[in-house]
Amino acid sequence: MDQVRLSDGVVTLTPFRAADIDAHLAGEDELLVRWLNGGPSTRAGTEEYVRRCTAQWVYRGPARVFGIRTGPEPVLAGTIDLRFAMPCLAPGQVNIAYGLYPAWRGRGLVTRAVHLVCGYAAREGASEGVIRVDPENHASAAVARRAGFRYSGQVAEPTGPPLDRYVRGLAADGAPARARTAVVGAH
């Protein structure tokens, strides 16, 4: 887990860890709660989440959560998650979800982070990235498009409203590869 470090010189991604809890709780705002977290974080809930994240890294589970860090002494600016197994994914697909704390938005950091995790996911065996976005979350959809993902339609979600789905083929160097045209689970 500690050996995983992805960087492009501006953004550095390392596993989300217990040392990130205070920064995460301080950085969370209503947009992260609405679009990503599903509710306000608590210390106890975040500690449990970090334990689960750590176990996923240790046992090479299907979920890998990175802290997005930036600056000369990298500070936590947000998170980016990879899910290699979900009911809405076809074999070879990986779901990507991201969120930045307010002070770091509008600087292109998430787009950089998406490119970095796409390369990592390809090296881990994924061939296509999937970003699912609430149709009202225009900022997140813009990140997907800037990172080379293309809109492929709306997908019915088992526990909520339909989400817009963006896809991109993956290459080990993080550059976009040709995406498959089939959309699994689209309605």
Side-chain angles (χ1 to χ4, degrees):
M1 172 177 154
D2 290 332
Q3 295 88 353
V4 179
R5 183 180 183 279
L6 312 173
S7 184
D8 67 0
V10 174
V11 167
T12 299
L13 305 180
T14 59
F16 192 65
R17 57 189 187 257
D20 295 328
I21 292 172
D22 289 334
H24 172 74
L25 291 170
E28 184 179 76
D29 70 340
E30 66 182 54
L31 292 177
L32 282 176
V33 168
R34 179 178 181 191
W35 302 125
L36 191 63
N37 297 351
S41 295
T42 63
R43 175 161 294 282
T46 304
E47 288 171 352
E48 177 56 31
Y49 179 69
V50 168
R51 281 192 286 280
R52 288 192 317 267
C53 291
T54 301
Q56 290 288 310
W57 280 105
V58 169
Y59 298 107
R60 296 187 54 78
R64 314 279 168 79
V65 179
F66 291 90
I68 300 172
R69 303 167 201 292
T70 191
E73 293 183 29
V75 296
L76 187 68
T79 62
I80 188 163
D81 307 9
L82 295 176
R83 307 279 178 192
F84 290 91
M86 293 176 72
C88 64
L89 298 177
Q93 290 182 323
V94 61
N95 188 79
I96 302 166
Y98 40 78
L100 275 184
Y101 308 130
W104 300 102
R105 292 182 187 139
R107 302 179 191 193
L109 300 177
V110 172
T111 303
R112 289 172 169 274
V114 168
H115 286 301
L116 289 169
V117 296
C118 284
Y120 172 83
R123 292 187 297 277
E124 291 291 303
S127 58
E128 187 171 60
V130 176
I131 296 175
R132 296 171 309 127
V133 177
D134 185 296
E136 295 180 24
N137 188 345
H138 303 291
S140 200
V143 167
R145 289 189 302 274
R146 280 193 302 273
F149 286 71
R150 64 175 172 69
Y151 178 76
S152 68
Q154 275 198 346
V155 178
E157 291 291 312
T159 60
L163 298 178
D164 289 343
R165 182 179 172 111
Y166 294 83
V167 296
R168 180 185 118 176
L170 302 180
D173 65 0
R178 190 173 153 197
R180 294 188 307 224
T181 57
V183 177
V184 174
H187 297 286

